[in-house]
Amino acid sequence: MVELLQQQLTWTNFAILFAWGVVMLLVILGFVTYAIYFERKVIGWMQLRIGPNRTGPLGLLQSVADVTKLLIKEDTIPRKAERELFILAPVITFIPSFAVCAVIPFTDKLMSTNMNVGLLYYVALSGISTIGIVLGGWASNNKYALLGGMRSAAQMISYEIPLVISVIGVIMTSGSLNLNVIAQQQAGGFWHWNFLPQIIGFVVFVIAGVSELNRTPFDLPEAESELVAGYHVEYSGFRFAFFMLAEYVYVFAIAGLTTTLFLGGWHAPFPFLDFIPGIVWFVLKFAAIVFFLFWIRATLPRIRVDQLMGLGWKVLLPLALVNIFVTAIYMSIGPMLSVYFYK
């Protein structure tokens, strides 16, 4: 795909790129469909419940049935809602979630684009979804939806800051914003992966990433026990499905980004395992992160909104800044110490 983007655009190249986009869309939609199923099964297993088991063998068609139900349900729009913005909000929320997946490298050859500012592209586009969520809450003309939208604005903007600052250490050590380059530099075994020297940044990134996904224990924007359903309380049918779809596509994106930035991308944990294809290692690490997200949803209660904001501003942001200074000091005195001990 990268070579095609660098060539002159012809009808043949356009057809190949279009087909690749369709394949990626189908892969992500397939992931979303069965991520929902496995989340329900995993949480059921952890909480000593059965989970979906009726629709299809082992309940495998339950998510398909749920999606079909949403697509054929009546699409209602409140009479006093801002109609145009109400319709536009789910689209603004979903499109960036799919677009950010373009910069995630699955292997050194399998990627949609080899963008030099891939990490910056991800951060810039993911922030647009916040606008869609706030817009949906405000355009609904519903106080509960408005409160959910305002909570979302406060939460996602607050956690976007430590999320971005936490990866600056990785950018400093790799000297690049290109996700492919960052992954390439982690070859040679797990002791070269960024999560070890950047352990502070890794912890901050994971916590802030969970908050950006609006998932438990940070699901304050759609706290059903307080706000009925939060910012999407007035949405039904396929427009409601777009909001849910965006959340799970971001699960795909954040799991892929974490794998690339901190867990070595497609590289094996030990050099003698390099004979196994890189896509296998990427999928295994990716699946472990997705399982972790399901795990914390099953075990942690929702925190209060003041605890949420306090954690972001008083804990994660200072830690992310400390990580930058520690990385800068290490990069400054590390070579000098190496020369000294070598002599």
Side-chain angles (χ1 to χ4, degrees), residues 329-343:
I329 293 170
Y330 172 77
M331 293 180 67
S332 299
I333 68 173
M336 293 187 292
L337 291 176
S338 300
V339 172
Y340 175 78
F341 284 112
Y342 179 75
K343 289 180 178 180

Side-chain angles (χ1 to χ4, degrees), residues 183-189 193 263-269 274 278 281-282 285:
Q184 291 278 14
Q185 293 180 353
Q186 299 178 71
W193 296 357
L263 300 181
W266 59 86
H267 296 294
D274 284 341
W281 291 116
F282 187 94
K285 298 171 190 176

Side-chain angles (χ1 to χ4, degrees), residues 125-165:
L125 258 69
S126 62
I128 297 176
S129 294
T130 307
I131 299 174
I133 291 175
V134 175
L135 202 60
W138 179 80
S140 299
N141 196 24
N142 178 297
K143 291 182 175 61
Y144 292 114
L146 179 61
L147 284 172
M150 292 300 101
R151 276 186 178 183
S152 178
Q155 174 176 334
M156 297 181 76
I157 292 173
S158 298
Y159 278 81
E160 188 85 22
I161 297 171
L163 181 76
V164 174
I165 295 177

Side-chain angles (χ1 to χ4, degrees), residues 3 18 36-37 57 59 77 80-81 85 118 159 171 183 194 273 323:
E3 290 79 4
F18 181 79
I36 296 171
Y37 166 79
I77 300 178
K80 293 187 177 182
L85 298 180
Y159 278 81
I171 298 171
N194 286 328
L273 295 174
N323 183 60

Side-chain angles (χ1 to χ4, degrees), residues 97-156:
S97 69
F98 180 68
V100 298
C101 297
V103 295
I104 297 176
F106 304 105
T107 69
D108 56 341
K109 302 294 184 184
L110 185 60
M111 65 188 82
S112 298
T113 179
N114 191 20
M115 192 179 297
N116 287 332
V117 289
L119 189 54
L120 184 62
Y121 169 90
Y122 183 99
V123 171
L125 258 69
S126 62
I128 297 176
S129 294
T130 307
I131 299 174
I133 291 175
V134 175
L135 202 60
W138 179 80
S140 299
N141 196 24
N142 178 297
K143 291 182 175 61
Y144 292 114
L146 179 61
L147 284 172
M150 292 300 101
R151 276 186 178 183
S152 178
Q155 174 176 334
M156 297 181 76

Side-chain angles (χ1 to χ4, degrees), residues 10-305:
T10 63
W11 284 109
T12 303
N13 290 348
F14 175 79
I16 295 174
L17 291 172
F18 181 79
W20 173 254
V22 172
V23 169
M24 281 298 299
L25 178 62
L26 293 176
V27 168
I28 293 174
L29 291 179
F31 164 80
V32 170
T33 301
Y34 284 98
I36 296 171
Y37 166 79
F38 282 110
E39 178 170 21
R40 295 172 68 180
K41 292 295 282 189
V42 167
I43 293 177
W45 168 64
M46 290 182 174
Q47 298 176 346
L48 300 180
R49 295 183 291 105
I50 297 175
N53 68 332
R54 295 289 182 181
T55 310
L58 303 176
L60 285 169
L61 297 179
Q62 183 62 56
S63 295
V64 177
D66 293 339
V67 170
T68 304
K69 180 187 74 171
L70 285 174
L71 293 178
I72 63 177
K73 282 185 70 174
E74 180 184 4
D75 176 36
T76 60
I77 300 178
R79 182 168 57 88
K80 293 187 177 182
E82 294 286 342
R83 185 180 181 86
E84 293 78 11
L85 298 180
F86 185 88
I87 294 172
L88 190 61
V91 179
I92 294 176
T93 303
F94 168 71
I95 290 179
S97 69
F98 180 68
V100 298
C101 297
V103 295
I104 297 176
F106 304 105
T107 69
D108 56 341
K109 302 294 184 184
L110 185 60
M111 65 188 82
S112 298
T113 179
N114 191 20
M115 192 179 297
N116 287 332
V117 289
L119 189 54
L120 184 62
Y121 169 90
Y122 183 99
V123 171
L125 258 69
S126 62
I128 297 176
S129 294
T130 307
I131 299 174
I133 291 175
V134 175
L135 202 60
W138 179 80
S140 299
N141 196 24
N142 178 297
K143 291 182 175 61
Y144 292 114
L146 179 61
L147 284 172
M150 292 300 101
R151 276 186 178 183
S152 178
Q155 174 176 334
M156 297 181 76
I157 292 173
S158 298
Y159 278 81
E160 188 85 22
I161 297 171
L163 181 76
V164 174
I165 295 177
S166 66
V167 300
I168 291 180
V170 174
I171 298 171
M172 293 167 65
T173 54
S174 63
S176 176
L177 288 166
N178 188 318
L179 292 175
N180 188 38
V181 172
I182 293 173
Q184 291 278 14
Q185 293 180 353
Q186 299 178 71
F190 74 90
W191 51 91
H192 293 291
W193 296 357
N194 286 328
F195 84 96
L196 288 173
Q198 293 290 317
I199 186 64
I200 299 176
F202 176 64
V203 172
V204 172
F205 181 86
V206 169
I207 297 174
V210 174
S211 181
E212 284 289 295
L213 294 173
N214 290 335
R215 292 178 60 85
T216 306
F218 305 112
D219 58 336
L220 272 299
E222 48 184 275
E224 65 275 0
S225 61
E226 311 158 35
L227 302 178
V228 186
Y231 59 88
H232 51 62
V233 65
E234 294 291 355
Y235 284 88
S236 64
F238 73 96
R239 300 189 203 282
F240 173 82
F242 263 94
F243 282 116
M244 295 296 100
L245 181 62
E247 177 182 325
Y248 279 91
V249 174
Y250 270 124
V251 169
F252 181 96
I254 203 73
L257 188 64
T258 307
T259 300
T260 303
L261 289 176
F262 294 100
L263 300 181
W266 59 86
H267 296 294
F270 300 99
F272 66 86
L273 295 174
D274 284 341
F275 68 93
I276 299 176
I279 187 64
V280 174
W281 291 116
F282 187 94
V283 170
L284 288 174
K285 298 171 190 176
F286 177 93
I289 296 167
V290 173
F291 176 80
F292 172 76
L293 294 174
F294 295 167
W295 184 6
I296 60 175
R297 180 172 181 178
T299 55
L300 296 181
R302 181 184 300 128
I303 64 176
R304 298 195 314 263
V305 66

